[in-house]
C-alpha cells in the first residue's frame, strides 16, 4: 500500500469512525486502547495500520509551538546505527561522541532482521537497540512504525505490535499475552497470528520501547515458564517468556533500551546488538537542520534567510566546534533549531515562546516523568522515587552553579567526581549514581574541544581532559534552576527547615492536648507550649530572606559593570550557535559572561515553565515566586535609576519578557522615562520583545524618548513595533534604511488617535519624494507633532514644495529639519515663506543643501519679520554657519551634527559643502571691522577645517543617530 492510498484510507476512516486518543508528555510512546464504533468486515491488519499511523503521526506539544510545520516523514534524518558484537558491549558503554570514527558499516533497523549464519529456521530474532539519552531511539521507533504502516519497510512482517515498557511496568493485574495485546489494540483480540498455532507467529514483530523502565527477572526459580498466549501472568513474566522463545518462538522482537539496562537481558537471548550513535558527521546534522529550518521558515522571503542560517551553521560545524560535538546527539540538533527559530522567525501571529520555555520543553522531551530508581517495574510509589530531573539539578546543577559563581566553563575529571556523587554513602545511592553516570551525564557534559581557543588557556600542565556543558546556555539554565529551587541553601537553612516541619507537626498535637487539660487545670504554665509555634515563624523569616537573596542575585548579575558593554544577550546566544564570522566582538569583561543566568532565573518563575517543571519533579511554589518578585521589583527599580547602556537595557527587556509577569513589568517600566537602544542590532524577536513588554503598561504610560536609531530596522519590524510607538513622545528612527513603503505605516501612526508622538526623527532614511509625500498626508489631521526631522531623506524640491503646502493644515509644528535634501533656492524660499506664515514654527534647518549665495541671503532676510507690526513672525533659518556677514549662533550644533553623521553620508558632497562654509566664513570675516569678531570667525574656520581633515583621513566616529 503506498502513501497516497494510505492517506485516502485515513480520510475515509476519519469520516466513518471515531478515535479517542490523548497525548502523553513523556518521551517514550504510550499506546492507548483503540475502539471502533462500528463493526465492518475489514481486515484487522489494515485497521491496525491505519490506527497506528494516526497515533504515531501525532507530534508532541513541543513541536506544535512551531506552528505545525512538521511531520515525522519530512523532518526525519536517520541517525548512525552500528551493529556490535556481544564482547564489544562493555567497550561501548560511553558517549556516542567517541564512536564517530568507527569503521563498521552503518545499518538500518530493517537490516538487523536479515537472516544470519547463526539464525535457526523457525525461530524469531531478538534485536536489542541501545543508546544514550538523546541519540534518537524514540524517533527511530516512531519512524519505523510509520514506515511499516505505509508499507515501505519490514514488509515481511504482517503484524507489528508496539508496547511501552513504562506502561507494562505499571500493570498490577496478571494478564495473558493476548489480553495485553487486546487491551491496547482491541481489533487484534482474536487474530490468528497471536494464537500460537503452527508457525503463524513468524509474521509478527513485537516492539518493546524503553526496557530500562521495566524490571525483568530471567531466573528460572523466579519466573515460571509459559508457552500459552492465553495464560494469565504478570506482564514482566510474559515479556521474559517471549524473549526466552518459550512463548511464540517464531515471533521476532525489537527491544530499545538505555546503556545502563543493557545487561538486563542475558546475552543468550539476544540475536543481534546494535548501538544508535546519533549524527556522526556534519552532513547528517546539515540534513536535519535543512529539513526543519526550511520547513519552519514558511514564506519564500524567510526561506532565503533560513538557507543563510543553514550555511552559517554548517560552517560552524565544519570547524569541529563545541556545537559540532553537541550536535552528535539529535536532541541538541532539535534544541539548536528551536533556538534559531525563536531568534529569527518569531512574529506577532505565532504563539508566545520564550528562551526559558524552549530549554524547559527540551528537558521535558528528554526526561519527562522519569525517575531515578533502580527498582524499575516494582510499582514503587512515585513519591518514594527520585525525580531524574531533580537529581540532575542537585548534581550537574550544582556543578553549573559553581562554574557560574567562579566564572568557569570547563571542569576537570576530579571536579566532576567532587560535585557529582561526592557525598554518596548508601548502596542504593551508589546504584543510582552508576545509572546516572552511564545514561545521563554524557547528555549534559562533553569533552572539551581542544581546538577551542577560549578554553586552551584552561588546560593544566598535565593536559588533563576537561569537560564543558554540551551547550553553553545549558550551564546557565541549570545554575538558575539550582538557585530558584532553593538547592543552594546553607546547612543551617536546611536544618532549620527540617526542625521547623517537625516542630510544626508536633506543636499541633501538643496544643490539642494542652487545650483539653487547660479546661480542668487552668495553669499558665501550659502557655509555655505556645513557644513551639515560634520556630516555624522564625523559619518563615529565614526562608523569606533566602527568597530575597535570589532576587538580589538576579539584579546583581543583570547589571554587572564588567558586562555592561558586551553584546546583548540574544546576540550572544546567536553567536554561540552560528559562530562569529569576521572581526571578533569586543568583550569588556575578563572572564566568560554569564548574562543568560539571571534571565533564566526570571523565566523559570513564569507559570507555564513551573507547570512543565512540576511534571519533571521540580516544584516551585507560588509563594516563593511572590516573595522573589516583590524583592526583585525593588532592586530593578533601584538599578534603573542609574544610566544604563543600550545593551543592558535590551537585556532588561528580555528579562521582563521571559518573566511573563505583566504586573511586575508595568511596575518596573513605570520608573523608566526613556528607552535608548542606539546601535542595537534589532531583529524580529527583539522588536516583538519590546512591543510585548510595553504592551503590559497602561494606556496612559508614555516614554519621553524611544531611541531606535542605527538599529537596522525594516518595514516588517516597524509593523511589529507599532504597539510600542504609541507609548513614545519622542520617536527616533534615524539611520535605519527605511524606504517609501515604511512611510505608509508612519503616516497611519501619526493619524492614530492613540498615538501621542511629539518628535519624529527620520534622518538618513531613503524615504524619497514619494515616501515623504505619503508621510506628509498625516499633517492634515495630526495634532501632537511638534518636531519633524527629515534630514537626508531624499526629499528634493518636489517634497519640499509639498511640505510647504501641507504646513498650513498643521498648527502645532514648531521645528522642521530638512537639511541635506538636495533642495534648491526656489523650493527653499517657498518653504521658508510657508514657515513664516505658520503660527508656531520657529526653526527651519536647511544647511547642506545646494543653495546659491543669493539664495542663502534671501532665506536669511525672509526669516526676519518685515516690521514689528506685521503678522509674520521671526523664523530662525539655519542655512550655513553664517547669517549674512555674521556668525550663526547655531554654528556649533550644525558642525556637531555633520561630524556625527558624516560617516554614513557622501564624503565628497559633505566636503564640498564644508568648503562652501569656509568661503562664507572668509567673506564674512572680511566684512568685519572688530578684531574680536574676526577672531571669532577664525575660531569657527578652524572647526570647519578640522572636520574636513577628519573626513579626508576617514577617522570620523560612526553614526550615532544624532541630529538636531
Amino acid at each position: 500500500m503506498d502513501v497516497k492510498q494510505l492517506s485516502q484510507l485515513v480520510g475515509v476512516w476519519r469520516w466513518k469512525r471515531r478515535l479517542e486518543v490523548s497525548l502523553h508528555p513523556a518521551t517514550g510512546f504510550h499506546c492507548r486502547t483503540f475502539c471502533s464504533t462500528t463493526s465492518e468486515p475489514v481486515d484487522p491488519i489494515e485497521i491496525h495500520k491505519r490506527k497506528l499511523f494516526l497515533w504515531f503521526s501525532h507530534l508532541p506539544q513541543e513541536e506544535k509551538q512551531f506552528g505545525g510545520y512538521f511531520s515525522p516523514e519530512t523532518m526525519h534524518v536517520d541517525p548512525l546505527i552500528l551493529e556490535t558484537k556481544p564482547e564489544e558491549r562493555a567497550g561501548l558503554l560511553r558517549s556516542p561522541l567517541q564512536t564517530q570514527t568507527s569503521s563498521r558499516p552503518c545499518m538500518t533497523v530493517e537490516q538487523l532482521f536479515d537472516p544470519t549464519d547463526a539464525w535457526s529456521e523457525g525461530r524469531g530474532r531478538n534485536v536489542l537497540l541501545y543508546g544514550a539519552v538523546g541519540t534518537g531511539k524514540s524517533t527511530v521507533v516512531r519512524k519505523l512504525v510509520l514506515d511499516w504502516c505505509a508499507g515501505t519497510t519490514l514488509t515481511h512482517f504482517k503484524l507489528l505490535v508496539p508496547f511501552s515498557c513504562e506502561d507494562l511496568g505499571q500493570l498490577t493485574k496478571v494478564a495473558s499475552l493476548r489480553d495485553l495485546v487486546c487491551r491496547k489494540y482491541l481489533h487484534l483480540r482474536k487474530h490468528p497470528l497471536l494464537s500460537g498455532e503452527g508457525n503463524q507467529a513468524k509474521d509478527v514483530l513485537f516492539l518493546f520501547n524503553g526496557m530500562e523502565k521495566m524490571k525483568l527477572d530471567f531466573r528460572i526459580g523466579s519466573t515460571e515458564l509459559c508457552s500459552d498466549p492465553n495464560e494469565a501472568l504478570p506482564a514482566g513474566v510474559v515479556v521474559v517468556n517471549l524473549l526466552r522463545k518459550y512463548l511464540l518462538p517464531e515471533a521476532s522482537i525489537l527491544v530499545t533500551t538505555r546503556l545502563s539496562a543493557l545487561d538486563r537481558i542475558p546475552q543468550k537471548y539476544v540475536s543481534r546488538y546494535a548501538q544508535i550513535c546519533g549524527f556522526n558527521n556534519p552532513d547528517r546534522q546539515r540534513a536535519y537542520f535543512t529539513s526543519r529550518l526550511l520547513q519552519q521558515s514558511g514564506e519564500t522571503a524567510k526561506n532565503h534567510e533560513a538557507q543563510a542560517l543553514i550555511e552559517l551553521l554548517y560552517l560552524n560545524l565544519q570547524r569541529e566546534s563545541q556545537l559540532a560535538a553537541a550536535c552528535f546527539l539529535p536532541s541538541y540538533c532539535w534544541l539548536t533549531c528551536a533556538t534559531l527559530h525563536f531568534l529569527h522567525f518569531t512574529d506577532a501571529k505565532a504563539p508566545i515562546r520564550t528562551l526559558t520555555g524552549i530549554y524547559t520543553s527540551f528537558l521535558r522531551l528528554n526526561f519527562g516523568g522519569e525517575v531515578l530508581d533502580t527498582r524499575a517495574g516494582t510499582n514503587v510509589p512515585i513519591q518514594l522515587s527520585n525525580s531524574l530531573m531533580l537529581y540532575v539539578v542537585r548534581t550537574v546543577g550544582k556543578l553549573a552553579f559553581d562554574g557560574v559563581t567562579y566564572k568557569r566553563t570547563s571542569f576537570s575529571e576530579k571536579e566532576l567526581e567532587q560535585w557529582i556523587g561526592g557525598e554518596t554513602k548508601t548502596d542504593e545511592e551508589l546504584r543510582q549514581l552508576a545509572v546516572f553516570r552511564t545514561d545521563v551525564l554524557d547528555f549534559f557534559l562533553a569533552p572539551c574541544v581542544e581546538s577551542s581557543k577560549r578554553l586552551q588557556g584552561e588546560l593544566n600542565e598535565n593536559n588533563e581532559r576537561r569537560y564543558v556543558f554540551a551547550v553553553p546556555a545549558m550551564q546557565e539554565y541549570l545554575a538558575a534552576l539550582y538557585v530558584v529551587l532553593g538547592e543552594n541553601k546553607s546547612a543551617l537553612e536546611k536544618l532549620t527547615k527540617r526542625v521547623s516541619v517537625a516542630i510544626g507537626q508536633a506543636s499541633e498535637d501538643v496544643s490539642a492536648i494542652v487545650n483539653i487539660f487547660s479546661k480542668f487545670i487552668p495553669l499558665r504554665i501550659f502557655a509555655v507550649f505556645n513557644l513551639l509555634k515560634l520556630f516555624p515563624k522564625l523559619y518563615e523569616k529565614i526562608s523569606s530572606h533566602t527568597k530575597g537573596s535570589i532576587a538580589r542575585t538576579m539584579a546583581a548579575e543583570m547589571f554587572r559593570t564588567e558586562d555592561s558593554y558586551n553584546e546583548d544577550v540574544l546576540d550572544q546566544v546567536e553567536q554561540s550557535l552560528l559562530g562569529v564570522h569576521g572581526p571578533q566582538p569586543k568583550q569588556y569583561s575578563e572572564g566568560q559572561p554569564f548574562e543568560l543566568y539571571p534571565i533564566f532565573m526570571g523565566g523559570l518563575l513564569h507559570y507555564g515553565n513551573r507547570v512543565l517543571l512540576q511534571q519533571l519533579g521540580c516544584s516551585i511554589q507560588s509563594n516563593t515566586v511572590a516573595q522573589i518578585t516583590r524583592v526583585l521589583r525593588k532592586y530593578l527599580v533601584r538599578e534603573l535609576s542609574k544610566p544604563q547602556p543600550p545593551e543592558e537595557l535590551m537585556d532588561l527587556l528580555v528579562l521582563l519578557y521571559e518573566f511573563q509577569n505583566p504586573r511586575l513589568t508595568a511596575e518596573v517600566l513605570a520608573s523608566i522615562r526613556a528607552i535608548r537602544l542606539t546601535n542595537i542590532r534589532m531583529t524580529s524577536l527583539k522588536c516583538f520583545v519590546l512591543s510585548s513588554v510595553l504592551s503590559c503598561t497602561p494606556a496612559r504610560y508614555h516614554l519621553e524618548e524611544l531611541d531606535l536609531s542605527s538599529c537596522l530596522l525594516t518595514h516588517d519590524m516597524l509593523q511589529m513595533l507599532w504597539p510600542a510607538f504609541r507609548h513614545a513622545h519622542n520617536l527616533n528612527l534615524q539611520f535605519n534604511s527605511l524606504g517609501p513603503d515604511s512611510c505608509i505605516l508612519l503616516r497611519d501612526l501619526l493619524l492614530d488617535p492613540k498615538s501621542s508622538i511629539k518628535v519624529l526623527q527620520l534622518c538618513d532614511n531613503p524615504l524619497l519624494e514619494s515616501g515623504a509625500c505619503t508621510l506628509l498626508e498625516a499633517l492634515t489631521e495630526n495634532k501632537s507633532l511638534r518636531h519633524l526631522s527629515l534630514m537626508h531623506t531624499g526629499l528634493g524640491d518636489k517634497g519640499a514644495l509639498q511640505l510647504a503646502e501641507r504646513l498650513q493644515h498643521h498648527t502645532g509644528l514648531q521645528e522642521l529639519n530638512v537639511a541635506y535634501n538636495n533642495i534648491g533656492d526656489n523650493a527653499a524660499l517657498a518653504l521658508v515663506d510657508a514657515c513664516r506664515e505658520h503660527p508656531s514654527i520657529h526653526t527651519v534647518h536647511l544647511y547642506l543643501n545646494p543653495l546659491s549665495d543669493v539664495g542663502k541671503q534671501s532665506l536669511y532676510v525672509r526669516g526676519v519679520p518685515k516690521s514689528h507690526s506685521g503678522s509674520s513672525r521671526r523664523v530662525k533659518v539655519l542655512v550655513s554657519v553664517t547669517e549674512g556677514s555674521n556668525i550663526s549662533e547655531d554654528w556649533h550644533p550644525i558642525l556637531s551634527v555633520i561630524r556625527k553623521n558624516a560617516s554614513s553620508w557622501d564624503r565628497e558632497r559633505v566636503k564640498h559643502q564644508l568648503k562652501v562654509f569656509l568661503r562664507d566664513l572668509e567673506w564674512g570675516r572680511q566684512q568685519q571691522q572688530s578684531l574680536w569678531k574676526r577672531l571669532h570667525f577664525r575660531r569657527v574656520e578652524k572647526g570647519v577645517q578640522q572636520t574636513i581633515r577628519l573626513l579626508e583621513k576617514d577617522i570620523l566616529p560612526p553614526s550615532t543617530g544624532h541630529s538636531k
Side-chain angles (χ1 to χ4, degrees):
M1 181 191 306
D2 58 17
V3 178
K4 183 177 181 181
Q5 291 174 337
L6 182 59
S7 62
Q8 291 174 351
L9 289 173
V10 168
V12 173
W13 184 84
R14 280 179 173 171
W15 177 260
K16 292 184 177 181
R17 295 172 181 268
R18 177 182 175 188
L19 174 65
E20 296 181 355
V21 292
S22 60
L23 292 178
H24 196 281
T27 54
F29 61 90
H30 293 253
C31 306
R32 295 290 183 264
T33 302
F34 298 104
C35 18
S36 339
T37 57
T38 63
S39 57
E40 297 179 0
V42 183
D43 183 7
I45 299 295
E46 294 303 319
I47 296 176
H48 185 62
K49 286 184 176 181
R50 292 199 299 265
K51 294 186 175 181
L52 278 185
F53 186 86
L54 286 173
W55 170 244
F56 281 88
S57 296
H58 283 297
L59 294 175
Q61 192 65 33
E62 285 74 11
E63 296 287 7
K64 293 184 178 181
Q65 64 181 320
F66 299 110
Y69 291 112
F70 307 118
S71 64
E73 296 84 5
T74 55
M75 70 182 181
H76 180 78
V77 177
D78 289 323
L80 175 67
I81 299 178
L82 299 175
E83 183 178 8
T84 61
K85 298 179 181 179
E87 59 272 14
E88 295 175 335
R89 289 177 302 137
L92 288 175
L93 293 181
R94 58 180 183 265
S95 169
L97 306 183
Q98 303 173 24
T99 63
Q100 55 183 298
T101 58
S102 174
S103 59
R104 287 166 294 175
C106 176
M107 302 192 70
T108 64
V109 177
E110 186 173 20
Q111 291 172 336
L112 293 174
F113 288 94
D114 291 341
T116 60
D117 296 336
W119 176 67
S120 58
E121 186 69 29
R123 292 180 66 87
R125 290 166 292 284
N126 293 348
V127 175
L128 183 57
L129 181 65
Y130 63 95
V133 177
T135 49
K137 297 185 298 298
S138 296
T139 305
V140 168
V141 167
R142 178 183 288 111
K143 187 64 167 56
L144 176 69
V145 174
L146 290 175
D147 287 346
W148 177 81
C149 293
T152 59
T153 190
L154 295 174
T155 54
H156 53 285
F157 291 113
K158 295 180 180 178
L159 180 60
L160 173 62
V161 185
F163 281 105
S164 165
C165 289
E166 184 175 1
D167 283 350
L168 294 177
Q170 297 299 321
L171 295 179
T172 57
K173 296 181 179 180
V174 296
S176 66
L177 173 62
R178 301 195 74 168
D179 289 339
L180 289 177
V181 174
C182 176
R183 67 188 302 164
K184 300 296 181 183
Y185 312 102
L186 187 60
H187 46 274
L188 298 177
R189 184 191 320 181
K190 297 180 180 180
H191 201 280
L193 291 179
L194 301 173
S195 65
E197 299 176 0
N199 63 347
Q200 296 184 88
K202 65 181 175 55
D203 297 325
V204 178
L205 173 61
F206 289 100
L207 196 162
F208 296 100
N209 189 41
M211 185 60 73
E212 72 278 356
K213 300 175 183 177
M214 188 176 187
K215 184 176 181 180
L216 301 180
D217 192 345
F218 284 83
R219 294 174 298 175
I220 297 294
S222 302
T223 306
E224 59 183 288
L225 300 179
C226 172
S227 60
D228 183 4
N230 297 304
E231 183 178 351
L233 295 169
V237 176
V238 173
V239 175
V240 167
N241 278 285
L242 280 172
L243 292 168
R244 282 174 173 168
K245 297 305 179 186
Y246 276 91
L247 183 59
L248 300 185
E250 302 86 3
S252 295
I253 301 173
L254 174 62
V255 177
T256 66
T257 187
R258 290 183 182 169
L259 298 174
S260 61
L262 192 56
D263 292 326
R264 291 189 184 178
I265 303 177
Q267 177 182 330
K268 61 182 179 180
Y269 299 130
V270 179
S271 306
R272 301 179 88 166
Y273 289 93
Q275 183 181 18
I276 182 169
C277 302
F279 298 147
N280 65 318
N281 58 57
D283 291 329
R284 288 180 188 267
Q285 298 163 3
R286 180 176 185 171
Y288 182 90
F289 294 138
T290 301
S291 67
R292 294 191 67 101
L293 289 176
L294 287 183
Q295 285 190 74
Q296 60 195 39
S297 59
E299 303 172 7
T300 305
K302 292 184 177 180
N303 215 22
H304 296 295
E305 182 179 358
Q307 193 65 53
L309 288 178
I310 293 169
E311 293 301 323
L312 292 175
L313 261 177
Y314 188 60
L315 288 174
N316 197 20
L317 295 172
Q318 285 182 315
R319 295 176 187 155
E320 296 183 355
S321 61
Q322 198 64 51
L323 177 68
C327 285
F328 279 103
L329 293 178
S331 288
Y332 279 105
C333 290
W334 181 92
L335 180 62
T336 300
C337 286
T339 305
L340 286 176
H341 184 275
F342 172 69
L343 292 175
H344 288 271
F345 303 114
T346 295
D347 55 56
K349 300 177 182 177
I352 290 184
R353 290 173 290 127
T354 63
L355 191 62
T356 314
I358 288 175
Y359 274 76
T360 307
S361 298
F362 170 71
L363 294 176
R364 179 177 176 271
L365 271 174
N366 289 279
F367 301 105
E370 294 200 25
V371 296
L372 187 64
D373 195 281
T374 55
R375 299 166 291 175
T378 55
N379 294 318
V380 180
I382 190 66
Q383 61 270 20
L384 300 180
S385 301
N386 293 323
S387 161
L388 179 57
M389 193 62 229
L390 189 58
Y391 192 91
V392 169
V393 173
R394 290 172 175 171
T395 52
V396 184
K398 189 175 183 181
L399 176 72
F401 175 72
D402 180 73
V404 170
T405 303
Y406 296 102
K407 309 303 173 191
R408 296 187 302 122
T409 57
S410 68
F411 308 91
S412 66
E413 293 181 348
K414 187 177 297 184
E415 289 170 327
L416 294 186
E417 185 67 31
Q418 173 188 353
W419 291 109
I420 301 175
E423 299 179 356
T424 54
K425 298 177 182 179
T426 66
D427 291 342
E428 180 63 23
E429 289 176 338
L430 290 174
R431 284 193 293 269
Q432 291 180 356
L433 178 62
V435 172
F436 178 78
R437 283 181 174 274
T438 304
D439 288 343
V440 182
L441 188 58
D442 287 337
F443 181 82
F444 292 101
L445 295 168
C448 172
V449 175
E450 303 295 337
S451 60
S452 177
K453 297 180 181 179
R454 181 172 58 83
L455 295 174
Q456 275 185 342
E458 298 184 19
L459 296 176
N460 56 24
E461 298 178 356
N462 299 326
N463 251 355
E464 182 183 14
R465 179 178 290 276
R466 301 186 71 84
Y467 294 84
V468 297
F469 281 83
V471 173
M474 185 60 72
Q475 178 179 354
E476 299 179 71
Y477 178 90
L478 290 177
L481 186 55
Y482 180 78
V483 173
V484 172
L485 289 176
E487 294 296 330
N488 62 328
K489 295 176 182 175
S490 64
L492 175 61
E493 290 172 331
K494 293 179 180 179
L495 177 63
T496 305
K497 181 177 181 179
R498 294 193 189 101
V499 174
S500 173
V501 173
I503 291 182
Q505 294 174 348
S507 63
E508 294 177 2
D509 300 333
V510 173
S511 296
I513 297 174
V514 168
N515 289 335
I516 294 174
F517 279 98
S518 62
K519 295 179 181 179
F520 306 99
I521 311 175
L523 299 177
R524 293 190 177 184
I525 191 172
F526 286 110
V528 175
F529 289 100
N530 289 329
L531 294 175
L532 292 171
K533 299 179 181 179
L534 295 179
F535 199 90
K537 294 181 180 179
L538 176 63
Y539 167 70
E540 289 179 5
K541 290 185 178 181
I542 297 176
S543 177
S544 62
H545 176 74
T546 303
K547 307 303 184 299
S549 67
I550 294 176
R552 286 191 294 272
T553 301
M554 291 174 65
E557 292 291 335
M558 193 74 209
F559 299 101
R560 291 176 70 242
T561 305
E562 56 268 36
D563 294 337
S564 295
Y565 294 93
N566 291 336
E567 299 283 331
D568 67 82
V569 68
L570 293 178
D571 280 353
Q572 291 179 32
V573 173
E574 183 179 48
Q575 290 166 8
S576 70
L577 297 178
L578 301 180
V580 179
H581 303 271
Q584 292 282 339
K586 185 175 181 181
Q587 295 287 347
Y588 292 83
S589 55
E590 296 180 359
Q592 169 72 19
F594 290 100
E595 298 183 66
L596 266 178
Y597 171 53
I599 291 175
F600 277 142
M601 291 174 70
L604 288 169
L605 300 179
H606 171 47
Y607 176 76
N609 289 323
R610 286 191 286 128
V611 170
L612 294 179
L613 288 172
Q614 182 71 42
Q615 297 172 8
L616 288 167
C618 302
S619 178
I620 303 176
Q621 302 298 326
S622 298
N623 59 344
T624 300
V625 176
Q627 292 174 353
I628 295 176
T629 303
R630 184 168 56 252
V631 180
L632 178 63
R633 181 190 61 80
K634 179 178 67 175
Y635 281 96
L636 288 180
V637 170
R638 180 185 301 175
E639 291 293 337
L640 289 172
S641 62
K642 312 169 188 175
Q644 298 294 338
E647 293 80 6
E648 288 296 291
L649 270 180
M650 190 69 241
D651 291 349
L652 171 68
L653 295 174
V654 174
L655 170 66
L656 295 175
Y657 173 77
E658 292 283 325
F659 212 127
Q660 291 290 305
N661 186 325
R663 181 176 178 180
L664 172 70
T665 300
E667 290 175 348
V668 171
L669 290 182
S671 63
I672 300 178
R673 306 315 305 169
I675 295 180
R676 299 181 179 91
L677 300 177
T678 306
N679 292 323
I680 293 293
R681 184 183 66 90
M682 295 297 284
T683 62
S684 58
L685 172 62
K686 294 176 187 177
C687 294
F688 184 71
V689 167
L690 178 58
S691 289
S692 299
V693 168
L694 285 177
S695 65
C696 296
T697 58
R700 64 179 180 278
Y701 171 78
H702 288 97
L703 291 166
E704 292 300 325
E705 181 180 9
L706 177 58
D707 188 349
L708 295 173
S709 57
S710 302
C711 289
L712 304 178
L713 293 177
T714 64
H715 177 69
D716 292 337
M717 293 181 189
L718 287 186
Q719 290 181 321
M720 299 182 72
L721 288 168
W722 179 286
F725 291 160
R726 289 177 171 175
H727 293 277
H729 285 321
N730 183 342
L731 181 58
N732 189 340
L733 297 176
Q734 300 178 119
F735 300 97
N736 279 300
S737 300
L738 300 175
D741 55 339
S742 300
C743 292
I744 299 175
L745 190 144
L746 293 173
R747 176 200 63 193
D748 295 341
L749 177 66
L750 291 175
L751 293 175
D752 187 353
K754 297 181 180 179
S755 173
S756 59
I757 294 177
K758 297 179 180 179
V759 179
L760 179 60
Q761 302 182 59
L762 296 170
C763 169
D764 269 83
N765 287 293
L767 306 180
L768 306 180
E769 292 180 358
S770 59
C773 292
T774 301
L775 178 66
L776 296 176
E777 294 174 5
L779 294 182
T780 56
E781 297 183 26
N782 178 271
K783 305 300 180 185
S784 62
L785 195 62
R786 298 292 178 267
H787 179 181
L788 177 62
S789 174
L790 297 173
M791 182 171 66
H792 195 214
T793 56
L795 194 64
D797 287 344
K798 182 178 178 182
L801 293 174
Q802 181 76 10
L803 177 59
E805 294 178 8
R806 297 278 183 178
L807 283 179
Q808 59 181 333
H809 301 293
H810 192 285
T811 58
L813 204 61
Q814 298 175 357
E815 188 170 355
L816 183 64
N817 189 339
V818 290
Y820 196 4
N821 267 304
N822 201 28
I823 299 175
D825 290 352
N826 292 333
L829 290 170
L831 181 60
V832 170
D833 286 341
C835 292
R836 191 173 56 173
E837 299 298 328
H838 195 275
S840 58
I841 292 180
H842 55 71
T843 304
V844 182
H845 300 254
L846 279 166
Y847 44 87
L848 295 183
N849 282 302
L851 302 172
S852 64
D853 293 338
V854 175
K856 292 178 183 178
Q857 185 63 26
S858 300
L859 290 173
Y860 171 67
V861 172
R862 295 200 182 192
V864 179
K866 297 178 181 178
S867 64
H868 294 290
S869 59
S871 59
S872 58
R873 301 177 306 103
R874 168 76 164 89
V875 177
K876 185 187 296 184
V877 182
L878 305 182
V879 181
S880 176
V881 291
T882 61
E883 292 180 355
S885 59
N886 296 317
I887 295 287
S888 171
E889 60 183 15
D890 294 292
W891 70 269
H892 189 274
I894 292 175
L895 284 184
S896 178
V897 169
I898 293 174
R899 285 177 181 174
K900 291 181 179 180
N901 299 331
S903 61
S904 62
W905 291 347
D906 183 347
R907 302 294 180 90
E908 294 302 321
R909 183 174 175 181
V910 173
K911 282 195 295 183
H912 173 72
Q913 289 295 325
L914 289 174
K915 289 177 181 178
V916 172
F917 285 175
L918 284 178
R919 192 182 66 219
D920 293 343
L921 288 168
E922 185 178 357
W923 180 83
R925 177 166 47 83
Q926 293 173 355
Q927 307 301 315
Q928 301 298 326
Q929 301 297 324
S930 170
L931 178 62
W932 178 257
K933 288 189 175 182
R934 287 188 176 188
L935 290 175
H936 188 36
F937 268 88
R938 285 288 188 184
R939 177 191 171 196
V940 179
E941 284 181 43
K942 287 183 179 181
V944 176
Q945 290 169 350
Q946 182 184 12
T947 304
I948 294 176
R949 286 195 298 270
L950 292 176
L951 274 172
E952 292 174 345
K953 295 179 180 180
D954 197 20
I955 57 176
L956 281 170
S959 298
T960 59
H962 172 82
S963 72
K964 177 75 175 166

